[in-house]
Amino acid sequence: MSRHVAIVTDSTAYLPARTMERHGITAVPLTVVLGDRALEEGTEISTRSLAQALQKRRPVTTSRPSPELFAETYRRVAESGATGIVSLHLSAELSGTYDAAVLAAREAPVPVRVVDTGMIAMALGFCALAAAETAEAGGTVDEAVTAAEKRAAGTAAYFYVDTLDYLRRGGRIGAAQALLGSALAVKPLLQLAGGRIEPLEKVRTASKAIARLEEIAADRAGGAEVDVAVHHLAAPERASALADRLRTRLPGLSELHVSEVGAVIGAHTGPGLLGVVVSAR
């Protein structure tokens, strides 16, 4: 049984399963409540089922993992040989996941540092990877936390949604509420800022909004060495085409991930979501 610093995150990091296995990262699932059924993200509800439910306007909500689930996870990770745990989670402005992890960390059998990354999706995933790579190199808990925080500081997330209605329903719209009055006339571009969903720009058509999303991502990357993730919900062709264009535009591109978001983010953005995460190495 090896002694090591272990990395825990949550299901909204949307890391590929192979990547998580290779780096020994554990993800605690959030829950999607579909009608009267509570389903774990990643194992019990597919994005296709979610998209169909949203299109039929069935009630969909999300909830954080329980402190008990975190406590069970920390115990299991400690039993595998971890001498310390870094627990990295989506923005506390968007979810109570961080608070649940903090509660569980107080009773964990090994020291646990819980970090509110202020991120979500692969913006969170890249932070978890940075921490895991540091831990694999023999880094301490503090060093892994520093690596994750540095990665978060160099990461930006931008996204396009077909409608603000799903964000409004879920109460996650933040300052983007100001866009609602003209939502029928514009296609909104949003960003993650200070852990919140904030308005970025208003564009008249979907095609122009996606072109602008590409421009913003390219400007953010510049010539730096970056990792990029393109996310979508029920829009694989859009995502693939955007990824292909970014491959040709970013001279410092290192890794590019294309993936569909899970049910938790999808429940708040709706089908048609297209997002880009740009993360400096």
Side-chain angles (χ1 to χ4, degrees):
M1 183 167 65
S2 63
R3 313 298 291 174
H4 61 282
V5 172
I7 308 302
V8 172
T9 187
D10 59 67
S11 59
T12 68
Y14 301 137
L15 286 162
R18 289 182 184 177
T19 300
M20 291 181 59
E21 185 176 352
R22 183 166 68 250
H23 293 282
I25 299 170
T26 301
V28 178
L30 275 73
T31 299
V32 177
V33 181
L34 187 59
D36 59 355
R37 300 175 62 206
L39 305 166
E40 285 190 355
E41 181 175 44
T43 57
E44 295 180 340
I45 181 170
S46 68
T47 50
R48 175 172 291 185
S49 297
L50 172 79
Q52 290 173 344
L54 290 172
Q55 288 163 344
K56 293 176 182 177
R57 301 189 71 83
R58 293 179 61 190
V60 181
T61 58
T62 59
S63 65
R64 70 178 192 179
S66 67
E68 292 76 18
L69 181 55
F70 271 112
E72 177 187 330
T73 301
Y74 294 153
R75 284 194 298 270
R76 188 172 69 250
V77 170
E79 288 169 0
S80 74
T83 55
I85 298 170
V86 177
S87 198
L88 301 157
H89 300 293
L90 80 160
S91 172
E93 295 284 347
L94 300 175
S95 168
T97 299
Y98 168 81
D99 295 329
V102 168
L103 288 173
R106 295 172 183 167
E107 308 299 328
V110 297
V112 179
R113 285 280 301 279
V114 183
V115 179
D116 171 12
T117 65
M119 299 284 125
I120 198 166
M122 273 297 292
L124 168 59
F126 287 133
C127 294
L129 283 174
E133 289 166 356
T134 299
E136 288 166 3
T140 64
V141 165
D142 286 346
E143 288 168 338
V145 169
T146 297
E149 290 177 339
K150 182 179 179 181
R151 194 67 186 256
T155 297
Y158 310 102
F159 55 102
Y160 159 84
V161 291
D162 276 334
T163 172
L164 291 169
D165 188 44
Y166 298 104
L167 284 162
R168 178 191 57 77
R169 287 190 226 168
R172 300 304 198 278
I173 201 165
Q177 182 81 25
L179 295 175
L180 277 174
S182 56
L184 294 177
V186 302
K187 292 297 184 180
L189 292 176
L190 307 171
Q191 64 180 333
L192 195 61
R196 300 182 181 92
I197 296 168
E198 304 281 3
L200 183 59
E201 293 183 7
K202 295 184 288 185
V203 185
R204 287 294 174 184
T205 67
S207 60
K208 288 181 179 179
I210 294 169
R212 183 62 186 138
L213 183 65
E214 177 187 339
E215 290 290 337
I216 292 167
D219 288 346
R220 171 74 188 203
E225 185 179 4
V226 295
D227 294 326
V228 171
V230 175
H231 288 305
H232 72 93
L233 180 64
E237 296 84 3
R238 277 180 176 174
S240 179
L242 176 57
D244 287 344
R245 294 193 299 272
L246 289 173
R247 283 189 184 96
T248 67
R249 292 195 62 166
L250 305 185
L253 182 63
S254 180
E255 293 186 13
L256 192 152
H257 302 264
V258 181
S259 65
E260 191 164 35
V261 299
V264 168
I265 291 182
H268 295 292
T269 60
L273 164 74
L274 194 61
V276 181
V277 175
V278 180
S279 183
R281 278 186 164 256

